Amino acid sequence: MTKEIQLGSPPDQSPSRYASKSPKPMASTSDDTDPTLSLPLTKPPKSILPTPIAVSHTGTNKLTLVPLIFLIFFEVAGGPYGAEPAVSAAGPLYALIGFLVFPFIWSIPESLVTAELSSALPGNGGFVVWADRAFGPFFGWLMGTWKYLSGVINCAAFPALFADYLSRVYSPVGSGSGYYITVTVMNIVLSILNFTGLSIVGWFAVVLGVLSLSPFVLMTGIAIPKIKPSRWLTKAENTDWRLFFNTLFWNLNFWDSASTMAGEVDKPGKTFPRALVVAVIMTSLGYILPLMAGTGATNASPDAWGNGFFADAAGMIAGKWLKYWIEVGAVLSSVGLYEAQLSSSAFQLVGMADLGLLPKFFAHRAPFFETPWVGILLSTLITMGLSFLSFETIVASANFLYSLGMILEFGSFIWLRVKHPDLFRPYRVPLRLPGLVIMCLVPSAFLILVMAIATWKVFVISVGFTVAGIAVYFIMRLCKAKGCLKFSTGDSS
């Protein structure tokens, strides 16, 4: 992947000037007329980014490369915590194959799409802006509905994971009133931290990432002389493919979530592609190496690999000290996951307000910290309400809604290449249109599989959310027409 990254962004990355600079015309021959690769321009292309309602007035809260890497890392994974059900569902053999192959058919294509569009349209809202500019406001709203709901549903899983791991150290928080109090307090405290700004949240994510990954580095190193490769060939007696694929998908998706904060990134044309390259490598190795160590160096049967078993495996391999460290690391990881997803969800609402899909007050910034306080507050309240659902229902519902959004996102990516071939793209996926279609079709087939194996309960929940979202869209249109609330026009800058 790194050999394909070609960077050539201008020094100034502000949305208005950034989108108006035209690329150098590329050589063209009579046999090379693909408009997505050959760009003979006679004048600079018009910006298609919406004009921001409110922007940060200082550079102190801008995201730089290292914090962005770790925010992407926590948007997606936060470490191998939560990958254990893949082993219990199908056994070490299929779990290892899954985490080896899935990044190539899913993570890399999604990252490439995100790298191109985040650098070409570096404004808040990310994928909502892409769908809106490709297919119009209704599809922008649909994208926003599916991705926002999948984001807050996904976010709701982390307080539950936090309480689950913490209960291994202090059992009263695992059930009853102790559980409800823990989940509620975590939601409130971490949302307050989110108000302090992306720069603080980003560097906090760096610290959390180092602390949560360190025990797995040690576990992998200590496990090497104890590994028996034959253990990797074990299969589960009763394979649960639904759980297996949902676990794979849940642990390796959301690569595009950080795109909603593109307007807060310093020099996004350079920073986003580089951050995605590092995050993909770090995340992939962060899953496969601990899984190889845990399954190869212990005699545990697949049935033992429930949520949190990595800590038990570490105890078998190195002793209780490492078991406790991984349990603490899991708590820290869930904090990082929550913070990253909450930031993404809040800034998505900012982008939707800039597009005129939501009222202007969603783009309002808090004094001093200049954070989107309305989006943070709303996302926290919804997340808190969903935190008490079962973990399996949370994961499956988030996957289904996210799948719908990703199919629309791949379609937006292809259509923007056709509709706006002259749009300046600091990073371009180095493929012609047929190659791009194939690149997007492969992961789209997996998305359809994830939706096909969903339970009726998940299907009903997802359809219900979609219908409700469409109803809100028309309510917002009515409010805009009647002047009940103030909206942006959504015009380009």
Side-chain angles (χ1 to χ4, degrees):
M1 177 176 174
T2 55
K3 292 181 180 179
E4 294 180 346
I5 297 294
Q6 301 169 359
L7 301 171
S9 56
D12 185 287
Q13 299 289 341
S14 60
S16 59
R17 291 180 61 191
Y18 175 79
S20 66
K21 293 180 181 287
S22 60
K24 294 180 180 179
M26 299 178 65
S28 176
T29 68
S30 59
D31 296 325
D32 181 15
T33 57
D34 189 332
T36 67
L37 290 177
S38 181
L39 307 175
L41 300 179
T42 58
K43 60 181 179 179
K46 182 182 178 182
S47 168
I48 62 171
L49 266 179
T51 304
I53 295 171
V55 296
S56 176
H57 297 291
T58 67
T60 56
N61 256 334
K62 284 289 185 180
L63 279 174
T64 53
L65 179 62
V66 175
L68 182 58
I69 289 171
F70 279 87
L71 277 176
I72 294 173
F73 171 70
F74 276 112
E75 295 276 12
V76 177
Y81 310 100
E84 299 99 331
V87 181
S88 64
L93 177 62
Y94 290 121
L96 291 173
I97 292 174
F99 279 100
L100 273 172
V101 174
F102 198 64
F104 291 96
I105 64 173
W106 173 256
S107 300
I108 291 177
E110 186 183 7
S111 298
L112 290 172
V113 169
T114 302
E116 177 171 319
L117 293 181
S118 294
S119 62
L121 298 170
N124 293 324
F127 36 72
V128 180
V129 178
W130 310 341
D132 179 276
R133 290 325 193 213
F135 301 117
F138 177 75
F139 289 96
W141 178 271
L142 264 186
M143 176 73 85
T145 299
W146 289 331
K147 289 296 189 80
Y148 181 76
L149 288 173
S150 69
V152 292
I153 290 172
N154 188 54
C155 203
F158 306 131
L161 282 176
F162 179 94
D164 182 57
Y165 273 99
L166 194 60
S167 68
R168 294 169 178 267
V169 180
Y170 183 65
S171 58
V173 304
S175 60
S177 60
Y179 173 80
Y180 294 113
I181 292 172
T182 301
V183 169
T184 302
V185 170
M186 181 186 176
N187 275 290
I188 295 172
V189 171
L190 294 184
S191 67
I192 292 173
L193 175 61
N194 218 267
F195 275 102
T196 61
L198 271 181
S199 181
I200 294 174
V201 171
W203 284 108
F204 185 58
V206 173
V207 175
L208 292 176
V210 171
L211 292 176
S212 60
L213 282 176
S214 295
F216 289 102
V217 174
L218 289 174
M219 185 185 85
T220 301
I222 296 170
I224 289 175
K226 302 178 182 181
I227 288 176
K228 294 181 179 179
S230 60
R231 293 170 178 162
W232 294 335
L233 304 178
T234 306
K235 302 177 185 178
E237 290 186 8
N238 298 305
T239 303
D240 185 344
W241 292 114
R242 177 182 294 151
L243 177 60
F244 175 73
F245 284 117
N246 270 322
T247 302
L248 274 182
F249 190 59
W250 187 70
N251 279 278
L252 286 167
N253 64 10
F254 288 92
W255 291 101
D256 59 343
S257 290
S259 70
T260 64
M261 304 177 283
E264 312 300 307
V265 175
D266 184 42
K267 300 178 181 177
K270 290 182 179 180
T271 306
F272 243 105
R274 290 174 178 172
L276 282 162
V277 169
V278 177
V280 166
I281 294 171
M282 185 168 69
T283 300
S284 300
L285 292 178
Y287 278 117
I288 195 64
L289 294 179
L291 279 171
M292 292 178 72
T295 57
T298 67
N299 285 317
S301 67
D303 292 338
W305 281 79
N307 274 321
F309 185 76
F310 264 124
D312 297 327
M316 298 175 193
I317 293 169
K320 289 186 176 180
W321 65 274
L322 191 57
K323 174 183 178 181
Y324 295 145
W325 190 352
I326 285 185
E327 287 171 345
V328 172
V331 173
L332 297 176
S333 176
S334 63
V335 171
L337 288 160
Y338 185 96
E339 288 294 336
Q341 190 62 65
L342 182 60
S343 297
S344 174
S345 297
F347 277 98
Q348 179 190 322
L349 298 182
V350 172
M352 293 180 73
D354 288 343
L355 286 165
L357 298 174
L358 286 174
K360 282 186 174 183
F361 63 77
F362 278 96
H364 289 175
R365 306 252 180 170
F368 187 71
F369 293 119
E370 297 185 334
T371 46
W373 67 272
V374 177
I376 293 173
L377 178 61
L378 178 63
S379 301
T380 300
L381 292 175
I382 295 174
T383 296
M384 193 181 300
L386 294 171
S387 293
F388 304 106
L389 296 175
S390 72
F391 183 78
E392 186 175 346
T393 300
I394 288 173
V395 171
S397 299
N399 285 350
F400 195 100
L401 291 167
Y402 190 79
S403 297
L404 291 171
M406 279 309 306
I407 290 174
L408 179 55
E409 183 174 315
F410 286 136
S412 301
F413 170 66
I414 297 297
W415 192 240
L416 282 172
R417 275 288 190 100
V418 176
K419 186 178 181 181
H420 295 286
D422 58 349
L423 177 66
F424 178 58
R425 295 167 168 87
Y427 168 72
R428 294 173 65 87
V429 180
L431 294 172
R432 300 183 186 281
L433 195 58
L436 295 176
V437 171
I438 293 172
M439 184 190 82
C440 295
L441 280 177
V442 173
S444 295
F446 185 82
L447 293 171
I448 294 171
L449 173 63
V450 168
M451 292 188 289
I453 63 176
T455 63
W456 68 268
K457 184 177 181 180
V458 169
F459 182 78
V460 169
I461 290 173
S462 301
V463 170
F465 277 139
T466 301
V467 172
I470 293 173
V472 174
Y473 170 74
F474 286 106
I475 292 173
M476 290 294 105
R477 285 193 63 183
L478 181 62
C479 289
K480 193 173 184 177
K482 298 289 185 180
C484 304
L485 297 168
K486 293 182 179 179
F487 288 81
S488 169
T489 61
D491 293 337
S492 300
S493 53

